[in-house]
Amino acid sequence: MECFAEALGVFFYVYFGLGSTAAWVIGNILKQSGLSSVFQIGFAYAFGILFAIGVCASTSGGHFNPCVTVAFTIFRGFPPLKAVRYIVAQILGAYIASALVYNQWKVLIVESELLLKQAGVYETTIFTPNGPAGIFALYLLPGAQTLPRAFLNEFVNCFVLALVIWAALDPTSFMIPPVMAPFIIAAAYAGSIWGYAAPAISLNSARDIGCRLFALTIWGKSAAGGSYAAIAALVNIPATLLAAVVYELFLVDSDRVVAGSHLEFMNVAANHRRHPRPAEDDNHVDADDSSQEKPTIAMYEQATGNSGAHKDSQA
């Protein structure tokens, strides 16, 4: 169920984003203005994020991105083997979304390819952001971006996006209640796309790898993307890890109180791991163990209450 939810969440994100991108690319090739825009593409991905979190996050914990899964594995005790299953499911969700979008747009994609061949620019356009393959896999615009700048563009955007995600998941962040977290995260994705999609941006390894594998399925090895493929697929992982460290060191205040609205959210997130209740301490919840018992809200409240009583008795 959890892996299915992760795959479906990425499917939502990719399906709506690629559909809008297809309208943009094909509209430009066929000289049909008004089919899409960068603004519309940003909104499409943002709505995909909203649907993914709203429909699937309660089932899987709502990673929908390998860099988030890796960060949870390193910093929050997420089981490594389960993380591998999540990442495979995420990539599969992107691949399935790509296959559906391709088939839904196939007539116009083929027509676009024929038009490019007639114009004599097929070879120089197909594997660029303006070519049909660019609907699915990410490529650098020829002559418009260098690899170091592409790295910088990807790293900075993924770092800022990860800070937003980490803040949305912070149970002491009273400015972002759980009900607002999906909208905040979706807006961060849209902002990055609006501002930096033209110089080339990925933001999600599953979206990049899954869609690139599909492009390889249709157009062969030429769709691999060269050196930029590694930047698009991997840079968001170290950027996310660095953002998590920066947030925990400079933005987390251990004296802040966990807001009541976050208790249920904490419980849903924690239930995707396994927690024991040691016999010697019925109120203790160990987030690093792999027992089969899951915590309840009562356990969190009881532990919080006892902690407060202990402080009062000391005073």
Side-chain angles (χ1 to χ4, degrees):
M1 288 174 61
E2 291 170 336
C3 288
F4 175 80
E6 282 295 301
L8 182 60
V10 176
F11 173 89
F12 277 126
Y13 172 71
V14 174
Y15 181 74
F16 291 103
L18 290 190
S20 189
T21 303
W24 163 259
V25 172
I26 292 173
N28 288 335
I29 294 174
L30 300 181
K31 307 302 181 183
Q32 298 291 324
S33 62
L35 288 185
S36 184
S37 65
V38 173
F39 192 63
Q40 179 180 313
I41 293 170
F43 265 121
Y45 276 108
F47 278 115
I49 288 289
L50 286 175
F51 301 149
I53 296 176
V55 175
C56 306
S58 296
T59 301
S60 68
H63 295 193
F64 310 136
N65 193 332
C67 67
V68 175
T69 302
V70 171
F72 269 57
T73 302
I74 293 175
F75 296 114
R76 298 198 173 178
F78 196 78
L81 291 179
K82 191 172 186 179
V84 172
R85 295 197 295 271
Y86 266 38
I87 292 172
V88 171
Q90 291 159 3
I91 294 173
L92 179 61
Y95 188 92
I96 294 172
S98 298
L100 279 174
V101 171
Y102 178 81
N103 279 279
Q104 289 171 263
W105 282 90
K106 187 173 181 179
V107 173
L108 291 173
I109 289 174
V110 171
E111 183 179 344
S112 299
E113 290 183 290
L114 291 174
L115 188 61
L116 292 175
K117 290 176 181 177
Q118 292 171 1
V121 295
Y122 178 83
E123 297 296 334
T124 58
T125 305
I126 182 66
F127 301 120
T128 72
N130 296 321
I135 297 171
F136 305 94
L138 298 169
Y139 303 101
L140 287 179
L141 191 64
Q145 187 72 294
T146 63
L147 287 177
R149 284 194 172 91
F151 178 92
L152 180 66
N153 190 52
E154 189 73 34
F155 191 93
V156 172
N157 276 277
C158 291
F159 177 83
V160 173
L161 178 61
L163 283 179
V164 173
I165 292 174
W166 227 248
L169 297 175
D170 184 354
T172 68
S173 178
F174 55 87
M175 294 300 295
I176 307 180
V179 70
M180 284 300 299
F183 298 93
I184 298 294
I185 295 172
Y189 271 94
S192 291
I193 292 169
W194 291 332
Y196 301 96
I201 198 168
S202 169
L203 301 177
N204 189 318
S205 296
R207 179 258 180 269
D208 177 75
I209 296 173
C211 297
R212 193 175 300 280
L213 287 174
F214 178 78
L216 287 167
T217 303
I218 300 299
W219 288 282
K221 293 181 180 179
S222 300
S227 300
Y228 175 65
I231 294 175
L234 300 175
V235 168
N236 60 1
I237 295 176
T240 299
L241 296 179
L242 178 61
V245 171
V246 169
Y247 188 87
E248 294 293 336
L249 288 179
F250 296 102
L251 296 172
V252 169
D253 183 356
S254 60
D255 288 335
R256 288 202 296 254
V257 177
V258 175
S261 60
H262 281 275
L263 286 174
E264 178 64 23
F265 178 77
M266 289 170 60
N267 188 60
V268 169
N271 277 350
H272 298 290
R273 294 171 291 168
R274 298 294 181 264
H275 299 247
R277 293 181 61 184
E280 64 274 11
D281 184 2
D282 288 340
N283 299 323
H284 176 70
V285 177
D286 186 353
D288 297 323
D289 206 291
S290 59
S291 166
Q292 294 301 310
E293 184 174 359
K294 294 183 178 182
T296 64
I297 288 299
M299 291 170 62
Y300 282 112
E301 292 175 340
Q302 186 179 17
T304 304
N306 286 348
S307 176
H310 179 64
K311 290 181 180 178
D312 290 341
S313 65
Q314 285 184 327

